Amino acid sequence: MSTDVTKPPQDSEGFWKTRYTILVLNTLAMAISYATRVNISVAIVDMVNGTALREREAAEGIQLVRDPDACPGELVVLEDATGRRGGIIPAIQTTVCRWAPDHERSLFSIIFLGLFVGSLVSMAATGALCETAIGWPLSFYVFGAVGLLWSLSWFLQAADSPAQHPYIDPVERSYIEATIKSAAKTNLPVPWKSILLTPAIWALIAVMVTSDMSFYLLITSIPLYLAQVLHYDIRSNGIISAIPHITGTVGSLAFVWFTNFLLQKKFVSRIWTFRIINALGTLVPGAALVVVALVGCDAATVIAMLAISGFCTADCTSSYLNMQIIAPNYAGTIVGIINMFANLTGIAVPYIVGAFTNANPTRTAWNNVFYLSAAVATVSYLVYAVFTTTDEQPWNVPPSERAQKADTKEGIENTAFDEGITQIADGDTTQQAHLKAIVP
């Protein structure tokens, strides 16, 4: 084995890097994806002709429910809608593992800022677009056109990995490859059984289920609540529904900084960093929904609780970082598995809300929805806190590399968390861009 000490890998000169372009494109992809799926949550208010429904019910002799605890305002009759996300987050996870140096993973978590920016813009703009002469169809034309424009930029500027990018500076390419512990190696067999039998995976499923449930309530059901219970019109509904996404945008930046701060300063261990962050992201929104149920028609407090909930829901970036840490080679696969379960809440939430409120659209019925959501958040977080881990899973490493690790004393260190150690190139693994750490 060679013992020649080499200099740390050098990045390309200049402020802007090709990997930053990939970061921006993925952030925009997330924003546009959510904008095109969230707009229907507001547009549905205009799409459904409430007057016609009331006239039909009157003609058929159907009695409308009268709520003794109803808030002041006109009765609004609505239906609900929801959206899906067709594989973008798993694709982004794989891209991050191939493009982001280990010590920049938390920076690349800013991609998930697009989730809240897209939802914010969509919520705020859709209400205004629905009031134009064209009406609600305009919101679909606008966001669809934006998606097509993004696609053109993506095809011209993006690549699966630095090695496949036609314009990247060779120095930056070498730097990325030398500072990534795992380059999300292609063509590795997926250890399905090992993944599904890993408690940490189910811990992440639990926390993402409650995170997505809170988020789906914000984007698909809160507009309905604002219309049915607090009686806001279409424009006001769109603006108020956007508030959680305004605070979510701020929260996304705050949680990226806070997570990176805790990891770098090491005031607490890595595992407690993620426990703390996810406690804020699950328990606080659950508590906020309980407050919404208790304050009734106090619109100012309801809006404040929605703002707090939106801010804390933005912690989901830490969960995706947690996935990258425990199994970087299979980050995309793991996200696909976890999001499969989490996205079931996108189907379940409208049905749950409908089961409580369709026949009885009262404040009491909505309160039951909020109490149930808070209970799910509490149980899910406890599961996560008990079974989570930040250790790289043994099945993440191919058998050949696992045997190679067993032959060394120190193993391969992750430069994202162990800095300042002298790096030497291992002759057997230079081709794979792995670095061996020797502790003085």
Side-chain angles (χ1 to χ4, degrees), residues 166-229:
Y167 314 120
I168 190 171
D169 186 325
V171 176
E172 182 186 4
R173 171 185 169 180
S174 299
Y175 176 78
I176 294 173
E177 292 174 345
T179 53
I180 291 181
K181 177 184 178 183
S182 165
K185 305 173 185 66
T186 59
N187 301 322
L188 289 178
V190 179
W192 294 106
K193 182 178 179 181
S194 297
I195 290 175
L196 294 176
L197 292 179
T198 300
I201 297 298
W202 292 98
L204 286 164
I205 288 173
V207 78
M208 287 303 295
V209 162
T210 189
S211 178
D212 274 30
M213 185 173 184
S214 297
F215 186 74
Y216 280 116
L217 276 173
L218 289 176
I219 67 171
T220 66
S221 298
I222 290 304
L224 187 66
Y225 176 78
L226 293 173
Q228 280 189 343
V229 177

Side-chain angles (χ1 to χ4, degrees), residues 51 213 219 324 352:
T51 302
M213 185 173 184
I219 67 171
Q324 295 170 17
I352 292 171

Side-chain angles (χ1 to χ4, degrees), residues 74-229:
E74 296 181 359
L75 176 65
V76 180
V77 182
L78 297 172
E79 293 179 1
D80 196 15
T82 188
R84 308 285 182 268
R85 55 186 166 197
I88 189 172
I89 292 182
I92 285 176
Q93 283 287 81
T94 301
T95 300
V96 169
C97 287
R98 292 178 178 175
W99 277 92
D102 285 355
H103 58 279
E104 292 184 2
R105 289 284 169 87
S106 57
L107 170 65
F108 270 68
S109 295
I110 203 172
I111 287 172
F112 294 95
L113 174 67
L115 184 156
F116 299 95
V117 172
S119 300
L120 161 63
V121 172
S122 184
M123 286 282 191
T126 300
L129 292 172
C130 287
E131 291 194 337
T132 64
I134 298 176
W136 60 262
L138 183 59
S139 66
F140 297 99
Y141 294 139
V142 168
F143 291 114
V146 171
L148 292 176
L149 289 175
W150 171 88
S151 298
L152 180 61
S153 299
W154 177 261
F155 289 127
L156 293 175
Q157 296 292 328
D160 287 345
S161 67
Q164 295 175 287
H165 199 283
Y167 314 120
I168 190 171
D169 186 325
V171 176
E172 182 186 4
R173 171 185 169 180
S174 299
Y175 176 78
I176 294 173
E177 292 174 345
T179 53
I180 291 181
K181 177 184 178 183
S182 165
K185 305 173 185 66
T186 59
N187 301 322
L188 289 178
V190 179
W192 294 106
K193 182 178 179 181
S194 297
I195 290 175
L196 294 176
L197 292 179
T198 300
I201 297 298
W202 292 98
L204 286 164
I205 288 173
V207 78
M208 287 303 295
V209 162
T210 189
S211 178
D212 274 30
M213 185 173 184
S214 297
F215 186 74
Y216 280 116
L217 276 173
L218 289 176
I219 67 171
T220 66
S221 298
I222 290 304
L224 187 66
Y225 176 78
L226 293 173
Q228 280 189 343
V229 177

Side-chain angles (χ1 to χ4, degrees), residues 113-417:
L113 174 67
L115 184 156
F116 299 95
V117 172
S119 300
L120 161 63
V121 172
S122 184
M123 286 282 191
T126 300
L129 292 172
C130 287
E131 291 194 337
T132 64
I134 298 176
W136 60 262
L138 183 59
S139 66
F140 297 99
Y141 294 139
V142 168
F143 291 114
V146 171
L148 292 176
L149 289 175
W150 171 88
S151 298
L152 180 61
S153 299
W154 177 261
F155 289 127
L156 293 175
Q157 296 292 328
D160 287 345
S161 67
Q164 295 175 287
H165 199 283
Y167 314 120
I168 190 171
D169 186 325
V171 176
E172 182 186 4
R173 171 185 169 180
S174 299
Y175 176 78
I176 294 173
E177 292 174 345
T179 53
I180 291 181
K181 177 184 178 183
S182 165
K185 305 173 185 66
T186 59
N187 301 322
L188 289 178
V190 179
W192 294 106
K193 182 178 179 181
S194 297
I195 290 175
L196 294 176
L197 292 179
T198 300
I201 297 298
W202 292 98
L204 286 164
I205 288 173
V207 78
M208 287 303 295
V209 162
T210 189
S211 178
D212 274 30
M213 185 173 184
S214 297
F215 186 74
Y216 280 116
L217 276 173
L218 289 176
I219 67 171
T220 66
S221 298
I222 290 304
L224 187 66
Y225 176 78
L226 293 173
Q228 280 189 343
V229 177
L230 299 183
H231 310 301
Y232 283 102
D233 60 33
I234 180 66
R235 180 180 289 273
S236 299
N237 195 321
I239 294 172
I240 294 172
S241 296
I243 289 176
H245 305 292
I246 296 174
T247 57
T249 301
V250 178
S252 182
L253 293 171
F255 277 112
V256 167
W257 173 84
F258 188 46
T259 302
N260 187 63
F261 175 78
L262 291 178
L263 291 174
Q264 294 296 327
K265 297 299 183 181
K266 299 181 180 178
F267 294 128
V268 294
S269 64
R270 275 192 288 169
I271 192 170
W272 272 104
T273 294
F274 289 112
R275 282 174 176 158
I276 291 169
I277 297 296
N278 281 298
L280 294 173
T282 56
L283 300 180
V284 174
L289 290 176
V290 171
V291 174
V292 169
L294 294 176
V295 299
C297 298
D298 186 345
T301 302
V302 169
I303 293 171
M305 290 302 102
L306 294 179
I308 292 172
S309 183
F311 181 90
C312 292
T313 302
D315 88 301
C316 65
T317 57
S318 68
S319 297
Y320 291 113
L321 182 59
N322 197 169
M323 298 175 207
Q324 295 170 17
I325 289 173
I326 66 172
N329 284 332
Y330 301 100
T333 301
I334 290 173
V335 173
I337 294 171
I338 292 174
N339 273 352
M340 178 188 72
F341 288 97
N343 277 331
L344 291 176
T345 61
I347 301 172
V349 165
Y351 281 103
I352 292 171
V353 172
F356 280 105
T357 66
N358 277 353
N360 184 34
T362 63
R363 265 185 42 219
T364 300
W366 275 99
N367 289 348
N368 291 331
V369 174
F370 299 146
Y371 291 138
L372 175 63
S373 300
V376 170
T378 302
V379 173
S380 296
Y381 177 73
L382 290 176
V383 172
Y384 173 80
V386 171
F387 294 106
T388 191
T389 184
T390 53
D391 296 330
E392 182 183 354
Q393 298 303 292
W395 42 262
N396 176 67
V397 183
S400 59
E401 291 186 23
R402 199 178 308 159
Q404 188 176 10
K405 278 188 175 184
D407 292 335
T408 63
K409 292 182 179 180
E410 291 80 18
I412 299 174
E413 298 291 339
N414 188 338
T415 57
F417 303 103

